[in-house]
Amino acid sequence: MPLHPEAQEIVSRAAILGQGEAPAVPASAAEMREQFRQVWSMPDDLPSVGGVVDTVFPGPAGDVPIRVYTPEGEGPFPVFVWFHGGGWTIGSLDENEVSCRTVCAGANVVVVSVDYRLAPENPYPAAAEDCYAAVRWVHENPEAVNADPARIAVGGESAGGNLAAVAALKARDLGGPRLALQVLVSPVLGHPDDGRASYRDYSEGYFLSKASMDWFFTTYPRDARDLEDPYLLPLRAKDLSGLPPAVVLGAEYDVLRDEGEDYAEALRAAGVPVDMVRYEGLIHGFFGLLSRELSDSAKAHRRVIDALRAAYAKGDR
């Protein structure tokens, strides 16, 4: 379908401001972060939850900041470990404030949002290690976040979706914990040069460009050998069996669309239950970053809330 009018407005504004496209000479990571900070602001009308606390947990290379959203009630609650996007290079906990609060209240779940180490200062495998460590820490220290260690799910958007898929792989391969669900929103799972049609059709002019993705792939991997590691690119995995059920959400006008759908099909082929949805007319960032500007984001939030409730209910049996 045509680009949604709300998405078109965002794309038009981004073109005027020079957002959403990599500059001819890529800025440094620090400059990219500062540019992003200047054009994004926290909404005033945040969804209500029982409580929000910023704290840290002991990660593999020092303390890792987390933001813990707790619903109303006594608990212990199921827990959803969330990873923000930003090409492993930019982004923070703040941009997902609305979506994390919405899921927390709607699914009656503790959301633990992880501020993992960023590249290029901390290249692969730093982010992947921090995110899996967060999952293990929640499982081993549930009382710290009022969580039920038997009901844990992971999720993320864009690079965060990559890290959620990687955390699920690591949990399968490295001794747990058992996960109830993986939520992959516009995930990075392959490489920009893998030849997928969405990278050709939406390479520029749709908020996230191929040039931007190319640049992110200069900051996170250490060298070309990392690109064959499934803990960096899960589509390189030779075996996807035994992974938790997945919800894979993508936008029609997104360079990352096809790799998300390819991964969903590969999971199905391996016997993993998958709910895959393509949101027609939408662009990258619809779940978290742009959720206040795209009314259809509410449909995606509800899909995830319902999926989490169903997955946790199975864990109660």
Side-chain angles (χ1 to χ4, degrees):
M1 66 175 288
L3 197 61
H4 192 290
E6 294 168 346
Q8 181 61 65
E9 182 178 346
I10 294 168
V11 167
S12 298
R13 182 181 71 231
I16 293 170
L17 296 176
Q19 297 171 249
E21 306 292 335
V25 178
S28 69
E31 291 170 329
M32 289 279 283
R33 293 168 193 155
E34 178 59 22
Q35 290 170 11
F36 183 72
R37 187 190 67 80
Q38 291 178 3
V39 300
W40 188 88
S41 60
M42 183 76 73
D44 293 327
D45 54 336
L46 295 173
S48 178
V49 296
V52 181
V53 174
D54 285 344
T55 185
V56 299
F57 77 91
D63 286 347
V64 178
I66 55 175
R67 183 167 296 166
V68 182
Y69 304 82
T70 305
E72 300 283 354
E74 295 185 5
F77 301 98
V79 60
F80 185 39
V81 186
W82 178 260
F83 311 119
H84 69 79
W88 310 283
T89 306
I90 62 174
S92 70
L93 305 180
D94 290 344
E95 300 91 66
N96 289 178
E97 189 76 11
V98 170
S99 55
C100 285
R101 285 170 170 264
T102 298
V103 171
C104 170
N108 201 41
V109 57
V110 170
V111 176
V112 177
S113 186
V114 181
D115 200 9
Y116 52 86
R117 287 173 288 165
L118 297 177
E121 298 90 341
N122 300 284
Y124 178 79
E129 289 179 343
D130 285 356
C131 292
Y132 177 54
V135 176
R136 290 191 64 106
W137 178 80
V138 166
H139 182 256
E140 294 165 3
N141 302 273
E143 68 286 348
V145 293
N146 198 9
D148 177 356
R151 294 184 292 169
I152 300 176
V154 295
E157 184 170 24
S158 193
N162 166 275
L163 294 167
V166 168
L169 284 166
K170 282 176 171 274
R172 181 197 66 179
D173 298 344
L174 304 178
R178 179 180 175 275
L179 300 178
L181 188 70
Q182 53 179 321
V183 176
L184 314 179
V185 183
S186 303
V188 184
L189 301 163
H191 191 273
D193 294 333
D194 283 348
R196 293 183 171 87
S198 57
Y199 259 106
R200 179 193 67 233
D201 297 341
Y202 310 115
S203 64
E204 57 182 320
Y206 295 97
F207 192 71
L208 176 67
S209 67
K210 182 180 185 298
S212 293
M213 288 303 305
D214 287 339
W215 187 76
F216 289 134
F217 272 93
T218 70
T219 66
Y220 185 48
R222 294 165 298 186
D223 55 45
R225 288 171 294 182
D226 284 342
L227 299 178
E228 297 306 314
D229 188 339
Y231 292 157
L232 195 156
L233 295 179
L235 273 167
R236 305 296 196 252
K238 292 180 171 57
D239 178 15
L240 296 178
S241 63
L243 289 170
V247 173
V248 183
L249 307 181
E252 179 182 9
Y253 292 87
D254 186 355
V255 293
L256 299 176
R257 184 195 70 195
D258 288 355
E259 59 200 73
E261 295 181 0
D262 286 352
Y263 195 64
E265 293 301 334
L267 288 170
R268 282 181 180 144
V272 177
V274 178
D275 177 24
M276 182 178 69
V277 183
R278 177 192 293 185
Y279 288 94
E280 305 293 340
L282 293 194
I283 57 176
H284 189 80
F286 66 89
F287 192 86
L289 182 63
L290 302 174
S291 62
R292 275 294 193 243
E293 300 183 70
L294 296 169
S295 55
D296 280 355
S297 296
K299 298 177 182 178
H301 294 163
R302 175 47 57 184
R303 193 100 183 194
V304 170
I305 287 167
D306 291 346
L308 287 170
R309 283 186 171 275
Y312 295 136
K314 290 179 182 177
D316 285 334
R317 295 172 191 167

